[in-house]
Amino acid sequence: MPAETSWSTQQLIEFLASITALTDEESAIREGVQRAAEALEAEVGALVGADSVYSVGFPRDQTPEQTLREASASSVATLDIAGLGTAMTIAAPFDDLPGGRLMVARVSDLPFLASEAALLRGMGRVLGLAIRSLRVLAAERSLRRESEQQAAENARLLSSLRDRQELLERLTRIQRSIASRAPLEDVLAAIVAGAAELLGDEMVGLRRIDPADPQTLELLASFGLDEELRAQCARTGIHEGAGGRAVALNQLVVEHDYQSAADPAQPVAKAGVTAAMAAPVHADGKVVGSMTVASLQPGRVYLPVEQEILTAFAEHTSLALTDARTVEELRYALSTARYDALHDGLTALPNRAMLHAHLEKVLRRARRQRTGVAVLFLDLDGFKHVNDSLGHTVGDRLLVAVAHRLRGCLRDEDVIARLGGDEFAIVLSHLEDAAEAERVALRLIDSLRDPFSLPPREITIAASIGVTAAGAGPEELLRNADLAMYEAKASGKGCFRWFEAGMHAQSIARLELEGALRQALAQRDIQTHYQPIVALHSGQVSGVEALARWTHPQRGDVPPSDFIPLAETVGLIAPLGEYMLEQACLQARRWADLDPAALPPTVSVNISPAQLGPQLAASVSHALDAGGLAAQNLIVEITETALRPNVTDPVSYLADLRSLGVRLSIDDFGTGYSSLSRLADFPLDQLKIDRSLVAGMAGRGRGRALVAGVIGLGKSLGLTVVAEGVETAQQSAQLARMGCDYAQGFGVGRPSPPAALDHLFAPGSRSDVRPESHQLASAG
């Protein structure tokens, strides 16, 4: 981060100042090790050599030299420190000591940062440079004491020290430029100008490996090159000239006879360069370019101290490039983090946080401009079944496709956000009237009617939408739209509803009812009642249908039309269905045992479309085993709408049930949308005519013909036919004459607790006693 890099640079400057103020090598090493440990907040610091170890952080005469040598041999390792525990270590080369490594150890679970590693390397370089300077000073003092004849040599040494001092001052200014976030171009220009001035050469070039073409070096900064030569040197080969070889070899390259070099850069050679020297430039420990100085003077020889100067400038170039890259990566990371914080990772739509901020802005603007704002809350119908049946990968693909289709229905100024799961919110602004919001809601619903092609299958999905323009703030608007969406689901799904003031109270009541339903399921307080099914040709009770009943402690009897849809909405339909299967199988076996000589009665159990999945066969098998009921005595009823090829073709799931031996019935036939051409594809045994069609048989109009047609259809497919909702003797007689097999309804028998129906299954009852339903048939 910028603050971290600035801190690193400041630490290096202070380190340099403290080391150069000392007058002997041992003090410089001790100060350098101490400063390095303090700068990196480390408990231990050491300068480790093949024959010596300087350390801080250990009691006197208790330095674990061998342990420190082993730890320093790796760039990153661990070290056990007595009394403190395990510490992370980091080491940097120290070339001025045989086998030398400058290392620190810090007790922390976090690894050292790249910037800390770079700082330690820089400290090692500065300490080495200072020690070399001190050694030169020591040698100078020794020579002065030994002989006055060394005065000329001493003068040369003093001049070298002045050069070094000037180098340190220039490097310090460069470091300050980096720390102050000066433009990279300005920093690099100062580096090449400083190298040219300090070394006295006519040309300096700074090159970087082209990220798009690793075999090419591109010129970043130069000194002493005219416009034509700069253009000719703008791009050179990776192995061309001293600069190219410094990159290829990752080492300092010196050419004292450039015209005779193996592979000179031709434009530079033609310009009359006699000697050149290049040092590699690094970033994050990797070679990324080179810095080259070139002379036009005959007989130019680069002394070791000049080679060190160029290396120092190259290292500061590395520092500048690394810092620039760090800043750029930080900006990118911040930009990415901001984007991620405000957008959904799956659909790339705005998320709740961004929607909230946008809604606040829109509301403020709407108040100023006196325009309308509406919020739509959209929830997909049956999306959970997609995930359960086809997996979350397919579910995610569907969400992305839905988001794209919904976005296409909106204006550029409208905002759609994904709130999580299969929930979306849309903010509409600059509305003239409520009708605009309604048109958008209808357009969104209509956009989902066409199937989504997600090879190898097509998926059909619908949505329920809540709409509101009432609410003081973003959270209230979203809450109100959410409440309206639940009303849309309760109204049959695939539609929209406006928010109304009473919905909040209804929501609280629904939450309370949901909690009570969960408790009732957990405590097995749901009762199972049974309605008789009678054979029209004989009047005998052939079986029963199991129906869920719930008596709330305070509300009393809760209609199934209230709690069954609630169970489907809140994900309780599966445990409720499993409970009903188990209870029905147990009771049917009990009734069969009352009269072993008679045919066992069948029991029919309704299965919600939400249960129609790969787990259904296992649930049915478990219920049969638990109840000890033969599979052929169980009839599984599914509604006509469940047979639509929506999420996945239900044929395979029905085939799994048939393989168990149970019988299958299509319930409420005549009210759904199943294709008659596909009806023969399903492994069905029974067809149940919906009560609305039976009620429409009065007279001799189309209603009666429609029922006759359904019965004929069932017979043509080899299915037994059951009429639901039979309430009168006339209906019973008509159905019998049409060839209907069975009847069910209040005229046959009302749903009752199991004990109230025991007499129907007592020995001899099904052969001697004709129930009321048969009397209805006879009366017709």
Side-chain angles (χ1 to χ4, degrees):
M1 293 189 299
E4 182 177 288
T5 305
S6 177
W7 167 85
S8 177
T9 304
Q10 183 62 35
Q11 290 292 329
L12 195 58
I13 293 172
E14 294 178 358
F15 183 89
L16 175 64
S18 65
I19 297 301
T20 54
L22 299 173
T23 59
D24 64 276
E25 181 176 341
E26 183 175 351
S27 298
I29 291 174
R30 185 167 53 252
E31 179 69 10
V33 172
Q34 181 69 40
R35 285 277 184 169
E38 292 174 355
L40 296 177
E41 300 181 356
E43 287 78 4
V44 169
L47 182 61
V48 180
D51 302 319
S52 60
V53 174
Y54 300 89
S55 68
V56 297
F58 293 104
R60 185 181 297 274
D61 300 325
Q62 295 184 25
T63 300
E65 295 187 0
Q66 185 58 33
T67 301
L68 290 176
R69 287 192 178 94
E70 292 173 357
S72 69
S74 174
S75 296
V76 179
T78 58
L79 178 69
D80 290 328
I81 303 176
L84 295 178
T86 301
M88 297 291 294
T89 72
I90 187 172
F94 187 80
D95 296 336
D96 294 87
L97 191 66
R101 303 277 284 178
L102 178 61
M103 67 168 288
V104 296
R106 183 170 66 198
V107 177
S108 172
D109 293 332
L110 299 176
F112 286 92
L113 301 176
S115 58
E116 294 176 314
L119 174 61
L120 188 63
R121 289 195 299 271
M123 288 180 168
R125 291 285 188 181
V126 170
L127 180 57
L129 187 61
I131 289 175
R132 291 195 294 274
S133 298
L134 290 172
R135 288 173 180 171
V136 171
L137 282 173
E140 186 274 332
R141 295 190 190 100
S142 177
L143 289 173
R144 187 187 304 170
R145 286 194 300 269
E146 291 175 359
S147 176
E148 291 294 329
Q149 296 177 359
Q150 299 297 321
E153 179 65 17
N154 288 345
R156 188 188 67 79
L157 291 173
L158 289 173
S159 176
S160 174
L161 289 175
R162 283 193 296 270
D163 290 343
R164 291 177 183 274
Q165 183 63 33
E166 184 178 354
L167 170 64
L168 292 175
E169 291 174 356
R170 284 187 176 275
L171 295 181
T172 300
R173 288 197 294 272
I174 291 170
Q175 291 167 355
R176 287 171 181 164
S177 297
I178 296 172
S180 63
R181 291 288 175 272
L184 180 62
E185 295 80 1
D186 295 348
V187 175
L188 299 183
I191 290 175
V192 296
E197 184 176 347
L198 209 58
L199 294 172
D201 287 326
E202 294 86 352
M203 299 180 186
V204 182
L206 179 59
R207 293 176 173 83
R208 180 184 66 178
I209 298 175
D210 185 353
D213 182 8
Q215 297 302 310
T216 301
L217 295 173
E218 56 181 358
L219 190 65
L220 291 182
S222 64
F223 181 88
L225 278 65
D226 58 32
E227 185 173 345
E228 180 181 359
L229 186 56
R230 187 165 54 249
Q232 294 174 345
C233 297
R235 296 179 67 80
T236 57
I238 191 71
H239 298 285
E240 186 177 347
R245 289 195 296 279
V247 172
L249 300 174
N250 192 18
Q251 65 183 34
L252 183 73
V253 172
V254 180
E255 294 284 359
H256 287 137
D257 185 0
Y258 193 79
Q259 296 296 324
S260 301
D263 189 13
Q266 291 303 319
V268 175
K270 291 179 180 179
V273 169
T274 58
M277 176 172 59
V281 172
H282 301 85
D284 297 328
K286 297 179 179 179
V287 179
V288 296
S290 64
M291 184 173 183
T292 305
V293 294
S295 176
L296 301 175
Q297 302 301 319
R300 176 70 162 102
V301 174
Y302 292 103
L303 301 175
V305 66
E306 293 175 316
Q307 297 175 20
E308 293 177 2
I309 289 173
L310 179 63
T311 300
F313 275 107
E315 289 176 348
H316 279 67
T317 302
S318 300
L319 182 62
L321 293 177
T322 299
D323 179 76
R325 176 181 294 182
T326 301
V327 171
E328 184 62 28
E329 290 175 349
L330 177 61
R331 288 180 181 143
Y332 177 79
L334 290 174
S335 176
T336 301
R338 176 177 172 79
Y339 182 89
D340 292 344
L342 297 175
H343 289 80
D344 171 50
L346 177 64
T347 63
L349 293 177
N351 60 12
R352 183 182 291 272
M354 186 173 180
L355 180 78
H356 194 284
H358 173 75
L359 194 49
E360 286 184 332
K361 181 174 66 176
V362 165
L363 290 173
R364 288 195 300 268
R365 184 176 61 200
R367 285 191 288 269
R368 291 195 308 268
Q369 300 177 355
R370 298 184 180 276
T371 57
V373 174
V375 173
L376 282 64
F377 199 106
L378 182 150
D379 184 270
L380 299 180
D381 299 329
F383 179 74
K384 183 178 183 298
H385 190 42
V386 177
N387 277 340
D388 293 344
S389 301
L390 303 178
H392 289 275
T393 299
V394 174
D396 288 348
R397 291 171 59 199
L398 177 60
L399 286 173
V400 172
V402 166
H404 178 74
R405 196 176 288 184
L406 294 177
R407 177 67 262 182
C409 297
L410 304 173
R411 304 169 298 178
D412 291 341
E413 63 197 83
D414 301 329
V415 170
I416 177 172
R418 181 181 176 221
L419 304 183
D422 60 338
E423 295 180 341
F424 299 85
I426 299 98
V427 176
L428 306 177
S429 55
H430 297 103
L431 299 181
E432 297 296 331
D433 54 39
E436 288 188 68
E438 293 183 359
R439 287 193 291 272
V440 173
L442 290 172
R443 192 160 60 242
L444 292 171
I445 291 171
D446 189 61
S447 72
L448 302 179
R449 296 193 188 281
D450 292 336
F452 288 87
S453 179
L454 299 176
R457 58 179 51 84
E458 287 190 343
I459 298 177
T460 302
I461 199 80
S464 299
I465 299 177
V467 186
T468 186
E475 287 301 327
E476 186 177 359
L477 280 167
L478 287 171
R479 185 197 67 191
N480 293 346
D482 188 15
L483 292 174
M485 181 273 296
Y486 274 105
E487 288 302 316
K489 283 192 177 293
S491 299
K493 303 180 181 179
C495 61
F496 78 90
R497 289 290 180 271
W498 276 96
F499 170 75
E500 297 175 0
M503 289 181 179
H504 183 60
Q506 293 173 6
S507 174
I508 294 176
R510 184 167 49 242
L511 285 174
E512 292 175 349
L513 190 63
E514 176 189 340
L517 180 57
R518 290 184 184 276
Q519 184 177 4
L521 275 173
Q523 297 178 354
R524 303 177 75 83
D525 286 340
I526 301 296
Q527 299 91 40
T528 307
H529 286 195
Y530 299 88
Q531 186 172 32
I533 300 173
V534 172
L536 285 171
H537 69 281
S538 67
Q540 292 182 0
V541 176
S542 63
V544 294
E545 179 179 351
L547 301 169
R549 295 293 184 265
W550 178 28
T551 301
H552 189 278
Q554 286 77 40
R555 299 187 182 196
D557 291 339
V558 181
S561 58
D562 286 348
F563 73 84
I564 296 297
L566 176 63
E568 291 179 332
T569 301
V570 300
L572 294 176
I573 195 64
L576 176 59
E578 291 172 0
Y579 172 78
M580 291 295 296
L581 276 169
E582 292 176 5
Q583 294 300 305
C585 290
L586 283 167
Q587 185 59 49
R589 175 56 189 267
R590 177 178 171 273
W591 280 327
D593 290 343
L594 293 179
D595 187 4
L599 287 174
T602 62
V603 61
S604 300
V605 180
N606 279 289
I607 296 298
S608 166
Q611 293 175 263
L612 191 58
Q615 76 291 339
L616 180 57
S619 297
V620 171
S621 178
H622 173 76
L624 290 170
D625 292 342
L629 185 68
Q632 64 266 24
N633 295 331
L634 174 64
I635 299 177
V636 174
E637 295 187 5
I638 53 178
T639 61
E640 183 182 356
T641 54
L643 300 183
R644 295 177 63 192
N646 181 9
V647 172
T648 185
D649 197 328
V651 173
S652 61
Y653 302 141
L654 299 182
D656 291 341
L657 291 178
R658 282 294 297 273
S659 67
L660 296 176
V662 302
R663 287 186 275 176
L664 303 177
S665 175
I666 180 170
D667 193 20
D668 299 334
F669 188 82
T671 61
Y673 307 93
S674 63
S675 169
L676 296 180
S677 64
R678 298 188 71 245
L679 195 58
D681 298 336
F682 300 109
L684 301 172
D685 299 281
Q686 187 182 86
L687 183 152
K688 298 186 78 172
I689 305 173
D690 186 69
R691 66 185 64 249
S692 63
L693 298 184
V694 173
M697 288 194 311
R700 298 182 179 274
R702 294 180 179 179
R704 186 173 181 181
L706 183 58
V707 172
V710 173
I711 293 172
L713 174 64
K715 294 296 184 179
S716 68
L717 295 174
L719 308 178
T720 58
V721 180
V722 180
E724 295 185 290
V726 177
E727 297 186 357
T728 68
Q730 183 181 8
Q731 290 173 336
S732 180
Q734 287 177 337
L735 290 166
R737 287 195 294 270
M738 291 178 185
C740 184
D741 300 303
Y742 299 97
Q744 177 183 351
F746 284 179
V748 173
R750 291 179 176 273
S752 304
L757 301 180
D758 284 349
H759 68 281
L760 297 178
F761 305 102
S765 62
R766 277 175 285 171
S767 60
D768 299 328
V769 179
R770 294 190 173 194
E772 181 185 3
S773 63
H774 182 59
Q775 300 299 324
L776 289 174
S778 300

